[in-house]
Amino acid sequence: MVPGNETQPSEFLLLGFSEDPALQPLIFGLFLSMYLVTVAGNLLIILAILSDPHLHTPMYFFLSNLSSYDICFTSTTVPKMLVNIQTQSKTISYAGCITQMYFFLLFVEMENFLLAVMAYDRFVAICHPLHYTVIMNPRLCVQLVLVCWVISVLHALLQSLMVLRLSFCTHLEIPHFFCELNHVARLACSGSFLNDVVMYFFVILLGGGPLAGILYSYSKIVSSIRAISSAQGKYKAFSTCASHLSVVSLFYCTGLGVYISSSATHNSHSSARASVMYTVVTPMLNPFIYSLRNTDVKRALKRLLGGKL
């Protein structure tokens, strides 16, 4: 990028997936459908858990929180993209870009930490079943969620403030469908070395920490399951964490794939297309994973939907 005059920008341009006008209606319809399915699916999971007293347990308390974060996570990016396509505009205000970036970081970190908390819950349930109700008491569950909130809010605030200190040039095109931290920082004319150091430090710390906790929990879970003598007992123990393991694999594999693909290619639209997997597709699939693989959730959903028919 050739530096222009440094300025405090009034708006950025989100280039999105394609500049071909003929593809815009297809993109709009596809993402509107995925967004509606995501909101409806996660909302049904939340309502089913709230309406069924049998699901008022730590595991489903965390699941309802995960579903609410999935709705918020998708809502930070997709509605703005849909509005831009409908109005045939690519602009987003400077304040809107920083706000979108803040809430995106907030909810992606919330999902990251909550998946680690859910892994700990499964670890206690399988490795220490006799002490489960004592350890995973309601007070601890609320405290764990609050800790996730505090860390996520502080991290998102720090990263947003780091971007606010940057000066930008006249070239303000973001090759993405939302204001992603790394892409926004690349547009700065002022030195962004400190921003890069802070960003990658917290990616390793806040991304690697929860992942290490998840891997440790499942290593203990696997050891405990292997010690069970009966095949039926092993299947029952594994089935209680199969849905969570599927969601964890989907979230981390798609997120890792995005950063690998964005580092390996300089195509302006390839990173945006790869990001769809963990920003849109993963939140959309989570309700299906939990409802299709969980008998209790399916039963609660049938009772919920049956009561409205």
Side-chain angles (χ1 to χ4, degrees), residues 85-269:
I85 293 176
Q86 189 67 19
T87 59
Q88 298 182 353
S89 170
K90 296 180 181 294
T91 63
I92 182 171
S93 67
Y94 177 72
C97 186
I98 299 299
T99 302
Q100 185 184 66
M101 184 173 60
Y102 170 81
F103 282 106
F104 178 83
L105 290 170
L106 170 63
F107 290 113
V108 76
E109 284 299 337
M110 282 300 305
E111 288 223 17
N112 182 36
F113 284 116
L114 191 62
L115 288 175
V117 169
M118 294 173 76
Y120 175 72
D121 173 71
R122 292 299 84 206
F123 160 73
V124 176
I126 294 174
C127 300
H128 305 283
L130 299 179
H131 300 93
Y132 178 73
T133 56
V134 177
I135 297 174
M136 298 303 297
N137 57 76
R139 182 179 179 180
L140 178 63
C141 293
V142 173
Q143 288 175 339
L144 289 172
V145 172
L146 286 177
V147 169
C148 293
W149 267 105
V150 171
I151 297 175
S152 300
V153 166
L154 292 177
H155 173 244
L157 183 61
L158 172 64
Q159 296 288 9
S160 300
L161 291 176
M162 291 295 293
V163 173
L164 286 174
R165 62 179 284 275
L166 298 175
S167 298
F168 293 88
C169 301
T170 55
H171 185 80
L172 299 175
E173 294 182 346
I174 301 175
H176 220 301
F177 67 96
F178 68 95
C179 290
E180 198 268 337
L181 174 63
N182 193 31
H183 285 281
V184 175
R186 288 177 186 174
L187 299 179
C189 287
S190 57
S192 60
F193 175 76
L194 181 60
N195 290 67
D196 292 337
V197 171
V198 171
M199 179 176 63
Y200 288 113
F201 172 77
F202 281 104
V203 164
I204 296 172
L205 179 65
L206 301 183
L211 181 58
I214 292 172
L215 294 176
Y216 175 80
S217 296
Y218 274 103
S219 68
K220 294 297 184 180
I221 289 172
V222 170
S223 297
S224 296
I225 291 177
R226 291 179 62 184
I228 299 175
S229 56
S230 67
Q232 183 178 1
K234 290 182 178 180
Y235 175 78
K236 184 178 180 180
F238 179 76
S239 64
T240 63
C241 56
S243 297
H244 176 257
L245 190 58
S246 300
V247 170
V248 166
S249 301
L250 187 62
F251 179 79
Y252 283 102
C253 289
T254 54
L256 184 61
V258 167
Y259 287 99
I260 291 176
S261 65
S262 62
S263 301
T265 179
H266 298 285
N267 189 309
S268 61
H269 297 293

Side-chain angles (χ1 to χ4, degrees), residues 6-80:
E6 293 187 6
T7 180
Q8 187 76 347
S10 60
E11 61 185 22
F12 292 94
L13 294 178
L14 297 173
L15 299 184
F17 300 98
S18 173
E19 298 180 15
D20 186 355
L23 292 177
Q24 300 309 306
L26 177 62
I27 295 173
F28 180 87
L30 178 62
F31 277 85
L32 177 61
S33 300
M34 289 193 294
Y35 179 66
L36 293 177
V37 170
T38 300
V39 173
N42 284 288
L43 192 58
L44 280 175
I45 293 290
I46 296 171
L47 293 175
I49 292 173
L50 292 176
S51 64
D52 192 337
H54 295 94
L55 300 184
H56 294 174
T57 63
M59 174 182 175
Y60 296 108
F61 170 72
F62 296 133
L63 176 57
S64 63
N65 276 272
L66 180 67
S67 293
S68 65
Y69 301 153
D70 278 335
I71 294 174
C72 296
F73 184 34
T74 309
S75 297
T76 60
T77 57
V78 177
K80 176 59 180 175

